[in-house]
């Protein structure tokens, strides 16, 4: 990411940097007018930045007065965060920069809640771009039969892949990705399920949420893949048990009439990697939604 690289070299045109480069301008922070707009102030110490970090799913309370450089703070954060939150942290830095530029150049005030949403959205788009890039290689390697671990494109319909991730049967995440016959990602989403559930129950919920997503996108012909055989069997046999799992399956059935054609397929776990990543991402970044425009 070019932005992060510039930030780490302290080469972003903050007011203080511009003044240091000899530009005749006021170095005060354009938001609070309390301090000079250094990169540390802009991205971490300004009241706006402080409140923003706390509102994000990272719930950070960066310690102020701790006179490290911004670069040292960012490095520390990248060290302590896991992969997905790390990506989100960078997206948040970028969001602060965008909001700052909107204020300076367009006199447009983006409020905190809006900025948090923007950061989330950008993170999904970024995630989609990454999965699309990964997918690009998968699709091209399909030409030479791709082996057993590639995702297989549907011939004339859209395919949705869903998956779930479970932490100690207490907290669960679900993810879904919709792709067309060229492997282009049309939509992707993450959900967190905060209830005590069994693996097959949360897999069934992931399918339901995925179908709901396709319905919202007005897709008509769909192929649904998931790597849980209990879910696939229950739906193939149209078997709805009198328990929680049964009610999750019944929810899926209730959506079938929203489509022109639906088929359910079982897929090997190795071919279901993108939704697997999304389901894990859901645990830290729930309710992300990305749609191809
Ligand atoms: Zn400020």
């Amino acid at each position: 990411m070019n932005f992060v690289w510039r930030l780490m070299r302290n080469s972003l045109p903050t007011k203080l940097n511009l003044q240091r480069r000899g530009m005749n301008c006021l170095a005060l922070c354009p938001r609070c007018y309390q301090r000079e707009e250094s990169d540390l102030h802009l991205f971490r110490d300004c009241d706006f930045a402080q409140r923003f970090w706390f509102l994000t799913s990272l719930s950070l309370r960066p310690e102020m007065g701790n006179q490290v450089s911004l670069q040292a703070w960012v490095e520390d954060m990248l060290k302590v965060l896991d992969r997905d939150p790390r990506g989100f942290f960078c997206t948040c830095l970028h969001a602060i920069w965008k909001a700052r530029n909107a204020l300076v150049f367009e006199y447009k005030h983006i409020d905190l809640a809006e900025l948090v949403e923007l950061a989330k959205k950008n993170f999904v788009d970024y995630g989609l771009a990454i999965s699309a890039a990964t997918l690009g290689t998968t699709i091209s390697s399909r030409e030479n039969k791709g082996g057993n671990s590639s995702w297989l494109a549907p011939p004339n319909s859209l395919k949705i892949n869903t998956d779930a991730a479970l932490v100690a049967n207490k907290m669960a995440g679900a993810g879904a990705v919709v792709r067309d016959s060229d492997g282009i990602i049309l939509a992707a989403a993450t959900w967190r399920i905060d209830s005590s559930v069994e693996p097959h129950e949360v897999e069934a919920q992931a399918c339901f949420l995925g179908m709901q997503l396709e319905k919202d996108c007005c897709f008509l012909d769909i192929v649904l893949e998931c790597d849980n055989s209990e879910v696939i069997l229950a739906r193939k046999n149209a078997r709805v048990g009198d328990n929680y799992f049964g009610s999750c399956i019944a929810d899926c059935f209730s959506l079938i009439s929203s489509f022109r054609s639906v088929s359910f397929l079982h897929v090997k776990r190795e071919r279901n990697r993108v939704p697997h990543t999304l389901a894990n991402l859901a645990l830290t970044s729930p309710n992300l939604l990305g749609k191809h425009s």
Side-chain angles (χ1 to χ4, degrees), residues 29 32 41 46:
C29 167
C32 67
H41 177 82
C46 183

Side-chain angles (χ1 to χ4, degrees), residues 8 16 30 39 42 61 71 79 102 105 109 112 128 131 147 175 182 204 225 235-236 254:
M8 292 312 275
L16 190 63
D39 56 355
L42 165 63
R61 286 180 186 275
Q71 290 68 29
K79 262 182 228 151
F105 301 115
H109 187 84
L112 281 167
L128 285 181
S131 7
D182 292 321
E225 275 187 347
R235 280 186 310 207
K236 281 211 169 132
S254 70

Side-chain angles (χ1 to χ4, degrees), residues 29-36 41-42 45-48:
C29 167
R31 206 179 285 277
C32 67
Y33 296 103
Q34 303 287 316
R35 294 264 188 282
E36 286 181 323
H41 177 82
L42 165 63
D45 292 352
C46 183
D47 186 50
F48 183 83

Side-chain angles (χ1 to χ4, degrees), residues 226-264:
C226 106
D227 58 26
N228 186 290
S229 40
E230 280 178 81
V231 173
I232 295 298
L233 254 168
R235 280 186 310 207
K236 281 211 169 132
N237 302 341
R239 191 183 68 211
V240 178
D242 189 14
N243 50 27
Y244 183 66
F245 177 65
S247 75
C248 298
I249 296 295
D251 284 343
C252 294
F253 280 132
S254 70
L255 286 181
I256 290 184
S257 59
S258 314
F259 305 101
R260 192 162 55 193
S261 70
V262 187
S263 44
F264 299 117

